């Protein structure tokens, strides 16, 4: 019989000592179409278990009766956890479903609250990941899960801990939903502003109510007073990164140095300021024609299914940098607002012509010459500024919500550590005291 230690009134035990842990069926019924149907039991995949969702209420696939016979059934209220691919991702099952051998299921036990168990397992994810066996994909076995340590308070305190952490999770989820909604609003607003513009009253022009405010152009109907111009005519210079051996990883140096702009730093409308690389000041001076300074527009020549080629952002670093291969640097004329130019390159209606100019075998690529031939709409500088001011106002709201979400995540991380180890007791939290 295992000896259980008492720590701050809690029992020091293991998961296997508190609940029976069973692995899903093997082999996984994923290779034969007859194992699936449109109206059979729900089929849980690793992709269905996300870190931000506490309870699984729907899946994207269902099994046939034959497929269900090859699987392990789980019922509402049970906790499952991924042990392959994405290791250590738990969730409470909210529907009758089936799982494969990439999961374990924890049988319900009167001494273990499901909500507390999920939060404990989330806190243990780094531990499970570290125990993983690497092959074609990371995985752990049932014995590792059974032997993992567990500090267990009374059932009443487990439920209170789960309630506290659930409250923060709910706040995070609501904030993320607000951010997603605002991001959608921003995309719609950008499209409208960059195709319809703003009238003298600061309102979006309406092509249906006021068709006289629009004109035909090579880009279709655009507001009167706007011009359809090639990108090349809107910049004073355009360069790509140094070719081949002129700039390789062996040239990199520790900070301080001159920043390199690489593909992973160029987002759609956002300079992604991480994954830093540097070269020496002396070597950077030899590559000065490839420099980027604050206010320049950066464009990615390469793309994939998640990151489109031709995506653009504005470089806003206070110092100068060197663009690497597959990155273009555009320096707008004084007539152009850099943010307006980058936004125009990113929206689909004006990005679409690049699709016919893409090259490459394994990844889509656009060359600088073809990029500079793309036509864009050009309003007055005053209207450009007004459009970007409206977008910036909405972006400030998004940033505020993103900061709030990050603060909540930091609070959750610290409180999880404290509550799940007994370092902080729920009785010390005013709103949860008796």
């Amino acid at each position: 019989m295992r000896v259980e230690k008492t720590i701050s009134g809690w029992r020091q035990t293991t998961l296997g000592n508190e609940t029976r842990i069973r692995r899903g069926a093997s082999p996984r019924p994923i290779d034969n179409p007859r194992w699936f149907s449109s109206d059979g039991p729900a089929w849980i995949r690793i992709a269905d278990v996300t870190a931000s969702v506490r309870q699984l209420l729907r899946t994207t696939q269902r099994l046939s009766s034959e497929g269900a016979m090859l699987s392990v059934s789980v019922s509402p209220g049970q906790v499952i956890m991924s042990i392959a691919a994405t290791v250590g991702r738990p969730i409470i099952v909210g529907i009758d479903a089936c799982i494969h051998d990439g999961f374990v299921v924890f049988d319900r036990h009167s001494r273990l609250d499901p909500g507390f168990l999920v939060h404990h397992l989330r806190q243990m994810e780094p531990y499970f990941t570290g125990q993983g066996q690497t092959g074609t994909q990371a995985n752990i076995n049932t014995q590792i899960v059974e032997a993992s340590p567990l500090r267990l308070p009374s059932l009443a305190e487990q439920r209170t801990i789960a309630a506290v952490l659930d409250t923060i999770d709910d706040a995070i989820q609501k904030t993320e939903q607000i951010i997603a909604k605002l991001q959608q609003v921003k995309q719609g607003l950008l499209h409208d502003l960059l195709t319809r513009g703003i009238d003298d009253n600061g309102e979006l022009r309406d092509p249906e109510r006021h068709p006289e405010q629009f004109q035909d152009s090579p880009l279709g109907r655009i507001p009167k007073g706007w011009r359809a111009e090639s990108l090349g005519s809107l910049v004073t210079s355009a360069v790509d990164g140094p070719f081949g051996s002129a700039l390789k990883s062996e040239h990199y140096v520790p900070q301080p140095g001159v920043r390199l702009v690489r593909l992973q730093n160029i987002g759609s409308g956002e300079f992604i300021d991480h994954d830093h690389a540097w070269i020496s000041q002396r070597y950077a001076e030899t590559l000065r024609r490839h420099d980027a300074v604050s206010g320049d527009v950066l464009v990615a020549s390469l793309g994939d299914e998640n990151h489109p080629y031709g995506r653009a952002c504005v470089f806003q670093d206070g110092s100068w940098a060197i663009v690497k291969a597959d990155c273009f640097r555009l320096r707008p004329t004084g007539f152009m607002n850099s943010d307006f130019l980058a936004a125009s390159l990113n929206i689909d209606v004006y990005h679409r012509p690049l699709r016919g100019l893409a090259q490459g075998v394994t990844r889509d690529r656009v060359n600088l010459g073809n990029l500079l031939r793309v036509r864009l709409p050009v309003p007055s500088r005053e209207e450009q500024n007004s459009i970007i001011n409206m977008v910036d106002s909405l972006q400030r709201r998004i940033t505020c919500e993103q900061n709030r979400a990050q603060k909540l995540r930091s609070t959750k991380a610290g409180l999880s550590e404290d509550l799940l180890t007994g370092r902080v007791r729920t009785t010390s939290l005013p709103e949860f005291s008796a």
Side-chain angles (χ1 to χ4, degrees):
M1 182 176 179
R2 298 180 184 178
V3 177
E4 297 175 346
K5 299 179 182 179
T6 300
I7 301 177
S8 301
W10 295 24
R11 289 185 295 108
Q12 180 69 37
T13 179
T14 64
L15 276 171
N17 204 32
E18 299 301 324
T19 178
R20 187 164 71 108
I21 302 168
R22 295 179 291 125
R23 188 167 187 163
S26 180
R28 306 178 196 177
I30 59 176
D31 299 322
N32 194 321
R34 74 172 186 270
W35 285 329
F36 294 91
S37 73
S38 59
D39 56 359
W43 171 242
I44 301 177
R45 302 177 305 148
I46 299 293
D48 294 319
V49 182
T50 62
S52 60
V53 178
R54 190 165 58 246
Q55 186 177 38
L56 182 67
L57 298 175
R58 63 180 62 86
T59 64
T60 57
Q61 291 184 322
R62 291 183 173 274
L63 295 177
S64 65
S65 57
E66 183 178 358
M69 290 178 61
L70 297 170
S71 307
V72 168
S73 298
V74 292
S75 57
Q78 287 188 296
V79 175
I80 62 172
M81 185 181 76
S82 58
I83 59 170
T86 304
V87 172
R89 186 67 57 78
I91 201 166
I92 299 175
V93 178
I95 53 176
D96 290 314
C98 298
I99 59 172
H100 57 65
D101 63 349
F103 291 100
V104 291
V105 56
F106 300 84
D107 287 342
R108 281 171 286 191
H109 194 285
S110 60
R111 294 195 304 184
L112 192 57
D113 176 72
F116 175 87
L117 177 58
V118 165
H119 287 293
H120 167 77
L121 293 173
R122 286 181 177 176
Q123 194 73 7
M124 292 289 290
E125 184 173 346
Y127 168 83
F128 291 129
T129 301
Q131 298 293 314
Q133 304 164 4
T134 57
T136 55
Q137 60 182 11
N139 65 88
I140 56 175
N141 57 41
T142 307
Q143 289 71 35
I144 289 173
V145 182
E146 290 173 336
S148 64
L150 171 65
R151 290 178 178 175
L152 200 63
S154 68
L155 188 59
E157 190 166 358
Q158 291 178 48
R159 289 170 176 161
T160 304
I161 289 171
V164 173
L165 299 179
D166 287 351
T167 299
I168 302 178
D169 275 344
D170 290 342
I172 293 171
Q173 186 176 15
K174 288 177 181 176
T175 305
E176 289 174 341
Q177 290 171 348
I178 291 172
I179 293 169
K181 183 67 178 286
L182 288 173
Q183 293 281 21
Q184 289 180 342
V185 170
K186 180 182 175 182
Q187 290 305 309
L189 179 63
L190 265 173
H191 179 275
D192 289 342
L193 288 171
L194 294 172
T195 56
R196 295 160 55 184
I198 305 172
D199 63 23
D200 293 337
N201 298 317
E203 302 291 334
L204 279 169
R205 295 187 183 89
D206 190 333
E208 295 184 0
R209 294 179 58 192
H210 298 287
E212 73 281 359
Q213 296 180 355
F214 291 79
Q215 61 181 342
D216 290 327
S217 81
L219 296 170
R221 298 284 286 174
I222 62 174
K224 282 187 176 178
W226 289 30
R227 308 188 315 273
E229 300 279 358
S230 68
L231 178 58
S233 69
L234 304 177
V235 299
T236 60
S237 69
V239 300
D240 54 9
F243 179 76
S245 60
L247 184 54
K248 299 189 294 186
S249 57
E250 62 199 49
H251 293 114
Y252 296 178
V253 299
Q255 191 179 3
V258 175
R259 177 77 182 271
L260 284 180
V261 171
R262 299 184 288 176
L263 275 175
Q264 55 264 49
N265 300 128
I266 304 177
S268 295
E270 175 190 13
F271 182 76
I272 302 171
D273 194 15
H274 58 64
D275 199 1
H276 295 181
W278 312 83
I279 59 175
S280 69
Q281 177 84 22
R282 182 177 180 180
Y283 192 63
E285 291 291 350
T286 69
L287 302 173
R288 194 79 194 213
R289 70 174 298 269
H290 305 280
D291 72 343
V293 298
S294 185
D296 285 344
V297 174
L298 305 171
V299 183
S301 73
L302 278 177
D304 55 35
E305 59 183 12
N306 298 316
H307 306 90
Y309 61 93
R311 64 188 183 275
C313 68
V314 178
F315 184 61
Q316 296 176 327
D317 196 290
S319 59
W320 63 290
I322 297 295
V323 294
K324 203 171 181 296
D326 300 320
C327 302
F328 303 141
R329 185 270 291 155
L330 310 179
R331 190 156 290 160
T333 66
F335 184 79
M336 290 302 302
N337 180 303
S338 297
D339 291 293
F340 182 91
L341 184 58
S344 298
L345 285 168
N346 285 324
I347 70 165
D348 186 68
V349 66
Y350 302 130
H351 187 275
R352 196 176 299 135
L354 284 175
R355 297 173 189 168
L357 302 174
Q359 302 169 337
V361 178
T362 58
R363 298 177 68 182
D364 289 328
R365 177 194 299 270
V366 63
N367 65 45
L368 184 57
N370 283 337
L371 177 69
L372 295 177
R373 285 195 287 272
V374 170
R375 286 193 165 189
L376 298 174
V378 184
S380 68
R381 177 63 188 246
E382 181 182 6
E383 189 170 352
Q384 293 177 45
N385 294 343
S386 297
I387 287 171
I388 293 305
N389 286 340
M390 290 185 68
V391 176
D392 286 347
S393 177
L394 182 55
Q395 181 57 50
R396 285 192 290 272
R397 290 181 58 194
I398 294 172
T399 301
C400 181
E401 294 297 334
Q402 289 172 331
N403 291 339
R404 170 177 161 77
Q406 185 55 47
K407 184 177 180 180
L408 285 168
R409 292 188 197 99
S410 297
T411 300
K412 164 78 183 300
L415 197 54
S416 292
E417 176 69 20
D418 289 341
L419 290 177
L420 293 170
T421 59
R423 190 158 51 236
V424 171
R425 307 300 291 268
T426 55
T427 53
S428 67
L429 303 176
E431 62 270 37
F432 288 95
S433 298

